[in-house]
Amino acid sequence: MLHYAVVKALRYHRFGPAAEVLRWEDAPDPRPRRGEIRVRVHAAGVNPKDVLTRKGKLGPLVRGFPQRSGQDLAGVVDAVGPRVKSLRVGEPVFGMIGGMGSGAVAELAVIRADHAALAPRSASMVEAAAVPLAGMTALQALRDHLRLGPGDTLALNGASGGVGVFAIQIAKILGARVVAVCSARNEDFVRELGADEVLPYDEAPLVERDRRFDAVFDTFGTAPFAKARRVIAPGGRYVTAIPRPDSLARGLASRVVPGLEAHLVLVQSRTRDLTLLGQWIDDGKLRCVVDRVWPADQAAQAHEHVETRRARGKVVLEIPGA
Ligand SMILES: NC(=O)c1ccc[n+]([C@@H]2O[C@H](COP(=O)([O-])OP(=O)(O)OC[C@H]3O[C@@H](n4cnc5c(N)ncnc54)[C@H](OP(=O)(O)O)[C@@H]3O)[C@@H](O)[C@H]2O)c1
């Protein structure tokens, strides 16, 4: 394995506003340990979680400085640690550094081999880097929590965002009818991705509609279960991506609200889910929707764009010189 004296990485030495704290700077060369690979990163996705982490909103889960930023990456395997059999040096991969790990926005990043997969052949590195966190969140929410299938009508709140653009397409692949909730300006955009119907939230929020759906997925937070239950049909299912105290307790809801199921999705990084998403991309069933791309040394602008909460699809950073 080659050792590099230093590599460039996106880091911060205190929590705070993006423009003040994010630095594209020299950092130690990361070394893969047992079960890990080192990736020469070409592109890295930016997610709201990276923003929350950098602002210090995840409390004691993030300790010590400097902190490295980013979980989603696409690149080429540069080295493998002991006991890695699934991936080899030189292979193009994409993945999500799982749990509270970070460090994807760097020239070299270390990731568990079982949190990565071969990158889809038909996608660029920028497109592949847009997929892991948001794509797996949508997949796990719809397939595992909602058990979505043909005949179901899904109401999808936040349909034009990073998770939403994958959720529309995956719900269609699973055979459901999709009712997308987004602002009126994004109506054509979500229809083009497969939405069957659009309910602009600027006319009325989902939870105030006089409708019933088999399944509701709240990716934005304005349809918490306590309000959304009135738009869920008897026997229907609910899932949210927003881990607030009320949604953490929401697993109990299925016991206190007979006939309704409620879940919180907490995305898990898994090779098999990445492989499935990559297969759908290569089969032409799933599109990677990239809103904007910045070079990693201008990451503050990318974070600020994500913070507007108006991104259309995904925001991605390209590693200079990769
Ligand atoms: N629990 C987990 O494992 C997990 C995993 C992934 C994400 N998340 C969380 O899920 C949330 C969504 O992530 P994301 O990447 O999709 O975020 P995002 O890309 O920042 O979402 C932006 C989208 O939100 C839409 N939006 C803004 N105001 C809205 C409203 N009032 N009602 C409905 N939609 C609205 C915007 O649409 P318009 O421009 O049309 O307004 C925009 O397209 C974040 O809070 C993130 O932290 C959790």
Side-chain angles (χ1 to χ4, degrees):
M1 186 193 317
L2 282 172
H3 296 310
Y4 303 82
V6 287
V7 297
K8 292 284 185 201
L10 185 68
R11 305 199 302 178
Y12 45 100
H13 296 254
R14 64 179 174 86
F15 298 129
E20 287 178 26
V21 303
L22 286 177
R23 299 270 175 275
W24 180 245
E25 63 184 13
D26 289 344
D29 163 16
R31 312 277 167 88
R33 294 171 302 184
R34 194 164 75 180
E36 294 178 335
I37 59 172
R38 186 171 65 189
V39 177
R40 180 156 288 282
V41 182
H42 287 232
V46 182
N47 291 286
K49 185 174 180 184
D50 304 323
V51 169
L52 293 173
T53 309
R54 184 256 304 153
K55 286 175 152 179
K57 302 284 187 194
L58 298 184
L61 295 174
V62 181
R63 286 217 181 112
F65 293 105
Q67 283 286 330
R68 293 183 184 225
S69 183
Q71 293 202 297
D72 277 347
L73 59 77
V76 175
V77 180
D78 167 84
V80 297
R83 301 213 186 156
V84 173
K85 303 267 185 277
S86 54
L87 293 165
R88 289 192 293 257
V89 171
E91 287 182 323
V93 291
F94 70 147
M96 173 191 128
I97 298 172
M100 292 309 299
S102 61
V105 192
E107 291 174 331
L108 292 172
V110 162
I111 182 171
R112 276 172 50 173
D114 61 357
H115 289 176
L118 287 176
R121 289 183 308 281
S122 58
S124 68
M125 286 289 179
V126 163
E127 288 169 329
V131 176
L133 192 151
M136 287 193 287
T137 302
L139 176 65
Q140 291 165 16
L142 300 177
R143 178 196 60 190
D144 304 342
H145 292 292
L146 294 182
R147 304 182 307 284
L148 208 63
D152 284 329
T153 296
L154 170 76
L156 176 60
N157 191 44
S160 51
V163 176
V165 295
F166 286 104
I168 294 172
Q169 301 179 82
I170 292 170
K172 294 308 297 177
I173 292 170
L174 297 175
R177 183 167 190 280
V178 176
V179 178
V181 181
C182 60
S183 63
R185 77 177 177 128
N186 279 326
E187 175 159 356
D188 292 345
F189 171 67
V190 297
R191 278 193 194 281
E192 216 235 312
L193 289 170
D196 299 286
E197 192 184 339
V198 180
L199 301 178
Y201 67 76
D202 20 24
E203 284 171 15
L206 171 64
V207 296
E208 289 173 17
R209 301 270 176 170
D210 195 16
R211 295 276 296 269
R212 295 284 181 280
F213 304 94
D214 304 304
V216 171
F217 180 17
D218 182 16
T219 76
F220 190 75
T222 45
F225 181 70
K227 292 182 180 171
R229 48 187 280 200
R230 59 179 297 280
V231 298
I232 304 173
R237 291 95 70 203
Y238 169 90
V239 67
T240 180
I242 312 303
R244 290 191 298 233
D246 62 329
S247 55
L248 285 170
R250 209 37 79 192
L252 294 173
S254 47
R255 292 183 211 153
V256 297
V257 183
L260 291 188
E261 262 184 54
H263 303 276
L264 165 67
V265 61
L266 289 173
V267 63
Q268 306 295 312
S269 199
R270 296 182 192 134
T271 297
R272 66 174 186 278
D273 284 351
L274 289 163
T275 302
L276 177 61
L277 293 166
Q279 188 62 54
W280 281 338
I281 291 166
D282 282 337
D283 290 346
K285 295 179 179 166
L286 186 64
R287 268 174 49 198
C288 313
V289 183
V290 176
D291 178 8
R292 292 186 65 178
V293 182
W294 275 273
D297 54 4
Q298 293 170 32
Q301 291 175 50
H303 270 231
E304 285 165 358
H305 184 58
V306 171
E307 279 184 72
T308 65
R309 304 309 311 273
R310 301 308 300 273
R312 273 185 180 176
K314 296 294 306 173
V315 173
V316 178
L317 294 168
E318 274 187 304
I319 306 306

